[in-house]
Amino acid sequence: MKILAFETSCDDTSVAIFENDKLLAMHTKSQIKIHNETWWVVPEVAAREHANVIFEVVDEVLNEANLKMSDINYIWVTTNPGLMPSLLTWITVARTFANILKIPLFEINHIQAHIFSNFLERKQEDIKFPLVCLTVSWGHNDIYFMENMWSMEKIGTSWDDAAGESYDKVAKMMWLEYPGWPIISKLALEYENELNSKN
């Protein structure tokens, strides 16, 4: 079973190919340099950039996995939550591929995908239930309670932005680079080291 998977919930164009649960290839095109000009992700710009690199990234993963589109059995695509213009770009491409190849298309919830990424390269018995899982993904800070593999209840969420987006807003106000968290973390560490040296 070979799966072609698309993740474009924000500003990275990511495509992967799996054979069952084994990752064969993955490529990502970042848009950080483009959004640095506005210190922020502009949804329409992000969608246009996804459209500009779609087929290039698909070709890269197919070549690395030594496969053709006709070898693909299933297509997975992120459908929500996320930046709607970015999501629509790839949903359109994924549905077109699925229709042309006459193969099933699975629409994946972005936040649930974050949660289940904990199972990558692990056996199911390695995850101990019940558990609480925190997802921190740009505009989504959510806490989920899982009684078992198939039971998921949201028990908390942020009112506004997730931690990462808050860093971006602070960085923009300080005229720093985008994304904000790396540069703010670096400056905070330098300040902490400076304080420690004085003590």
Side-chain angles (χ1 to χ4, degrees), residues 40-51:
W40 201 252
V41 177
V42 178
E44 291 74 15
V45 173
R48 186 166 59 248
E49 290 305 312
H50 285 306

Side-chain angles (χ1 to χ4, degrees), residues 183-199:
I183 185 67
I184 290 176
S185 296
K186 179 176 180 290
L187 292 172
L189 184 60
E190 290 174 0
Y191 179 71
E192 183 181 357
N193 291 338
E194 185 179 332
L195 284 179
N196 290 337
S197 66
K198 289 179 179 178
N199 295 332

Side-chain angles (χ1 to χ4, degrees), residues 9-170:
S9 57
C10 187
D11 60 331
D12 282 345
T13 303
S14 291
V15 182
I17 295 179
F18 289 85
E19 184 168 15
N20 299 319
D21 60 350
K22 180 184 177 184
L23 178 65
L24 299 181
M26 184 177 79
H27 283 268
T28 299
K29 293 283 187 186
S30 173
Q31 299 178 8
I32 285 179
K33 287 183 180 178
I34 293 161
H35 297 297
N36 233 320
E37 296 178 15
T38 55
W39 287 284
W40 201 252
V41 177
V42 178
E44 291 74 15
V45 173
R48 186 166 59 248
E49 290 305 312
H50 285 306
N52 288 341
V53 299
I54 284 174
F55 299 108
E56 177 186 344
V57 183
V58 171
D59 284 343
E60 286 174 352
V61 293
L62 287 169
N63 289 336
E64 184 177 329
N66 197 26
L67 295 172
K68 303 184 295 293
M69 281 299 295
S70 56
D71 297 320
I72 302 299
N73 305 113
Y74 299 94
I75 291 180
W76 293 356
V77 62
T78 304
T79 55
N80 64 81
L83 295 181
M84 193 49 64
S86 295
L87 293 171
L88 287 175
T89 302
W90 273 97
I91 291 169
T92 303
V93 171
R95 288 176 179 166
T96 302
F97 279 155
N99 285 333
I100 291 172
L101 298 169
K102 295 181 171 50
I103 58 177
L105 170 73
F106 291 90
E107 299 183 355
I108 307 299
N109 179 285
H110 169 201
I111 301 305
Q112 290 180 2
H114 276 293
I115 292 170
F116 284 106
S117 68
N118 290 295
F119 290 86
L120 291 175
E121 299 182 352
R122 292 179 178 172
K123 296 178 181 176
Q124 188 171 330
E125 54 267 26
D126 292 336
I127 307 292
K128 305 300 181 186
F129 293 98
L131 60 82
V132 172
C133 181
L134 168 67
T135 65
V136 181
S137 173
W138 206 58
H140 310 278
N141 264 4
D142 297 328
I143 302 173
Y144 287 87
F145 173 73
M146 297 180 70
E147 183 71 38
N148 54 53
M149 182 80 164
W150 312 111
S151 170
M152 186 182 302
E153 177 188 359
K154 185 191 288 187
I155 59 175
T157 188
S158 55
W159 281 87
D160 189 13
D161 305 323
E165 191 172 353
S166 299
Y167 276 111
D168 291 340
K169 286 183 175 178
V170 170

